[in-house]
Amino acid sequence: MSRGILLVISGFSGAGKGTVIGELLHGENKREDCCLSVSATSRTPRQGETEGVSYYFKTAEVFEQMIAEDKFLEYTKYVGNYYGTPREYVMEKLEAGINVILEIEVDGAMQVKSKFNEAVTIFITPPNAEELEKRLRGRQTESEEIIQKRLLKAAEEALSIPHYDYLIINDKVADCVSTISDLIEMEKRRVVNQSEFVAELQEDMKQLADREKK
């Protein structure tokens, strides 16, 4: 069994990354070997949220202790509450051969890459800036002020794209999902992700060579 792949997916607001991930996990051609990482937070649970499914709920004190013990692949503090990706959860899934998907912003993605070099970072974008603006306005759920803030943030995020491993254009969702699925298959063939098979092959070859010597 090959080790799972850690996929870190970022993208502009409006790029459709949530839709793409949803299709990858639950769509017609879903991958049974993938899961979405469960984050930890120090905020209180909201109605309908479930421990270990929605989040791992921690007190601020416990969260800060976990930070001190380097138990997060990445974390941030937003509106007085901590949010982070527990290292233990991710590693357990990867060792079980499950591909773990993190949907996080640029800062978090770079934190993960610095702590887990094998992580595969993917940035999802629309074909061009005009399409991004069209999608943001097409949602008709936000004020002009919020849309302008999202576009300004996108311009800042674009400067970080060269730090990612892959750039995938989300023109058609199905094509984007297929590209990511193909990418997973290629990454699984990396030697670093097949250490168990390599060890078995090396032992078999050693035994074969020993037999030939006799």
Side-chain angles (χ1 to χ4, degrees):
M1 177 184 66
S2 61
R3 189 184 190 192
I5 307 300
L6 176 57
L7 299 169
V8 181
I9 298 180
S10 305
F12 308 125
S13 176
K17 55 189 180 297
T19 300
V20 169
I21 292 172
E23 282 296 309
L24 192 65
L25 296 175
H26 309 295
E28 183 178 350
N29 297 312
K30 65 181 179 181
R31 293 192 63 113
E32 301 288 351
D33 59 349
C34 291
C35 75
L36 190 64
S37 176
V38 179
S39 298
T41 182
S42 64
R43 72 164 172 76
T44 55
R46 295 169 182 162
Q47 185 175 1
E49 290 183 330
T50 305
E51 169 70 18
V53 177
S54 306
Y55 286 98
Y56 291 110
F57 294 98
K58 312 288 184 182
T59 64
E61 292 76 17
V62 169
F63 204 109
E64 289 170 353
Q65 181 62 33
M66 292 177 69
I67 292 173
E69 295 173 356
D70 195 28
K71 290 187 176 180
F72 290 104
L73 287 176
E74 59 84 29
Y75 72 92
T76 189
K77 195 171 187 179
Y78 179 72
V79 194
N81 293 307
Y82 288 109
Y83 297 84
T85 302
R87 184 190 298 270
E88 183 178 7
Y89 173 90
V90 171
M91 299 311 295
E92 284 180 354
K93 294 294 184 181
L94 295 180
E95 292 302 325
I98 302 297
N99 307 308
V100 181
I101 299 172
L102 302 185
E103 183 187 350
I104 52 180
E105 294 191 359
V106 172
D107 288 345
M110 296 303 102
Q111 285 186 54
V112 174
K113 194 66 174 178
S114 69
K115 293 185 176 182
F116 192 76
N117 190 52
E118 299 97 318
V120 178
T121 53
I122 300 171
F123 197 93
I124 293 179
T125 178
N128 50 55
E130 290 74 18
E131 177 63 20
L132 177 64
E133 182 177 13
K134 178 182 175 182
R135 292 181 187 182
L136 286 172
R137 295 188 183 285
R139 297 193 296 200
Q140 298 183 333
T141 57
E142 297 170 333
S143 66
E144 180 64 23
E145 181 182 2
I146 295 298
I147 290 173
Q148 289 299 323
K149 286 182 178 179
R150 293 197 183 282
L151 291 172
L152 287 172
K153 185 176 182 181
E156 294 176 359
E157 291 173 331
L159 299 176
S160 297
I161 292 176
H163 298 299
Y164 281 75
D165 298 317
Y166 297 96
L167 176 66
I168 297 179
I169 297 173
N170 181 22
D171 191 6
K172 295 181 179 179
V173 172
D175 291 345
C176 190
V177 171
S178 178
T179 298
I180 294 175
S181 186
D182 290 344
L183 181 59
I184 291 172
E185 291 305 313
M186 291 304 299
E187 288 293 328
K188 277 185 169 289
R189 285 163 176 74
R190 286 183 180 270
V191 172
V192 69
N193 294 318
Q194 300 190 73
S195 56
E196 186 176 327
F197 174 79
V198 171
E200 292 177 354
L201 182 61
Q202 288 172 334
E203 180 59 28
D204 289 345
M205 290 302 180
K206 181 178 179 299
Q207 292 179 8
L208 179 60
D210 289 342
R211 287 199 302 270
E212 290 298 318
K213 292 177 183 176
K214 295 178 180 178

